[in-house]
Amino acid sequence: MAANPTKPSGQTGKMKKDESLLGKLGGTLVRKKIKEVSDLQEDGKNAINAPLLYAGPELLPEDTLLEENAERTILDPTSREDLNFKDLQKVLIDWINSELEEDRIIVKDLEEDLYDGQVLQKLFEKLSGHKLNVAEVTQSEIGQKQKLQTVLEAVNGVLRPLDWNTEWSVDSIHSKNLVSIVYLLLALAIYYAAPIRLPEHVSVKVIVVKKKEGILQTAHVTKHLTSTTTEMMIGRSERDAFDTLLDHAPDKLNVVKTSLITFVNTHLNKLNLEVTELESQFADGVYLVLLMGLLENYFVPLYNFYLTPESFEQKVHNVSFAFELMQDGGLQKPKARPEDVVNLNLKSTLRVLYNLFTNYKNSE
């Protein structure tokens, strides 16, 4: 019988085809395995190096260049755009410009205008009344840091008796750390009883970067910049006789109050007005405005203030207007805030009236 020549040939072709398919599959599997191993090695490499290289979307390259155990705080971009934080910066900028108006210094940006120590020097000298022994103009980084060192030592010396938590340093201010700059300005504003209304409950988020054993560690932290107005007022040290009187000599305080009542009534009686309670009767600003007119011998037009104020804003307007009249009369701008007088703060009211007493006590 003749053999079938096509059968073996078909089997051989099938075997070759199967071998080819297995070869392709094997090659694919091998290449896939090699790629998986390569990817795994790359992932492992990245996992090892990530802490050293991590910058994240919030960090700049210079923020990761730290010495061992060094730490840097960076403001979170979302907090930089926070409206309350922007409002706080505006209040502080306006306050600085008001204080340094005579020096013709205009601050527009806290980071760019305060980092070299020049404005901070002028501000502290104006608030404290003490001249610092520093060079007036310093262009070099070393000179700027030396000036900052002198200014911050003076500030910290003033705040030290209060155990103030200093959230600033020469390096943080000079590196334009906005949070540190704001903390420093808030401390000065509160300590020296700046006549401004600080926004309440302002907080920001910061990224704290620290290098430990060659590895960068990051953490997100919330910094509380301001609390309530009352709590911030407690932190004030206004360094005048009324603090001592209120805390330690209430009997002498009554003598001072009696003298001030006699003084204001000497003038207000001309309008058939009389004061018996200093805390409450000056709170709406009406008597303050009328008293200034009497002391300076002019009539205050009724359209300039609210004769019968009802809202908090109207009362603040009256007290603020009285403060303007005081400045027009040559007196320094009162340290007390109009809002504090309206809120029946005794020390604030006493300071305002005592300032009038010392300047007009000989007036008829």
Side-chain angles (χ1 to χ4, degrees), residues 138-192:
T138 51
Q139 298 293 339
S140 68
E141 179 178 335
I142 294 177
Q144 291 171 352
K145 287 189 172 182
Q146 288 175 342
K147 172 174 283 191
L148 275 173
Q149 182 71 35
T150 301
V151 174
L152 295 186
E153 283 179 356
V155 172
N156 295 342
V158 169
L159 299 176
R160 190 171 293 113
L162 302 178
D163 294 325
W164 208 286
N165 185 25
T166 55
E167 296 272 356
W168 54 83
S169 66
V170 170
D171 288 334
S172 67
I173 300 295
H174 195 266
S175 64
K176 304 179 183 180
N177 185 310
L178 183 56
V179 176
S180 291
I181 293 172
V182 169
Y183 264 125
L184 175 59
L185 293 175
L186 285 173
L188 290 172
I190 293 172
Y191 182 82
Y192 287 103

Side-chain angles (χ1 to χ4, degrees), residues 336-348:
R337 301 184 314 154
E339 293 84 357
D340 295 338
V341 175
V342 176
N343 284 327
L344 307 179
N345 182 275
L346 178 59
K347 283 196 291 185
S348 296

